[in-house]
Amino acid sequence: MRAGAAGELQRAAGELSLPLVARDGDGQVVGALLGVPSGTIVSGLARLPGGRRYIPLSMLTYAKIKAVAVSEDARRRGIGAALLARCMQVYGLFGEFDTQRPLGPYCRRQGFTVLRPGQGIDVGTLLTGMPLHLGAGPGLTFFHGWRPQDR
């Protein structure tokens, strides 16, 4: 928080990133997830009048899922779901996937809202009282889910 308040945003983002690892009974890594504070939200807030003061709060509130991976032999055992659920205990999450990949049903089963292409959500009004929209780029599908207390 001190780094964010001091304007050291890259350091704050690194310190607030959430790498999670799942291991099997033998200690072998079978899954991993990386959630990071959103650069899109930070840059959007920086452009809003008075928005810079909300940047540290945004870094504690929202994270983008940068990667989720589960080893092939460990799939269909709930490891990915457990990693996502744990990350969602800390952050409101969002991400995107290639629209050609059939990941929508999986995301919905994990409690995420999957938007149609071109749709977005407003994350700024909650933080600042001013709209700040997030969505996926061309060829991508956007999804989001908030911590249970935020719903």
Side-chain angles (χ1 to χ4, degrees), residues 3 5 15 19 21 31 34 41 43-44 49 54 56 61-62 65-66 78 105 135-136 138:
E15 291 174 3
V21 174
L34 178 60
I41 294 174
S43 65
Y54 296 102
T61 305
Y62 302 113
I65 300 169
K66 292 298 277 186

Side-chain angles (χ1 to χ4, degrees), residues 88 105-114 143-146 151:
M88 203 179 296
Y106 176 80
C107 290
R108 285 185 194 92
R109 283 194 310 272
Q110 305 317 313
F112 292 102
T113 300
V114 179
F143 64 94
H144 66 89
W146 312 127
R151 291 185 183 164

Side-chain angles (χ1 to χ4, degrees), residues 8 52 55 67 78 92 98 103 110 131 139 149:
E8 299 173 26
R52 286 191 169 279
I55 290 173
D98 185 318
L103 293 174
Q110 305 317 313
Q149 68 268 22

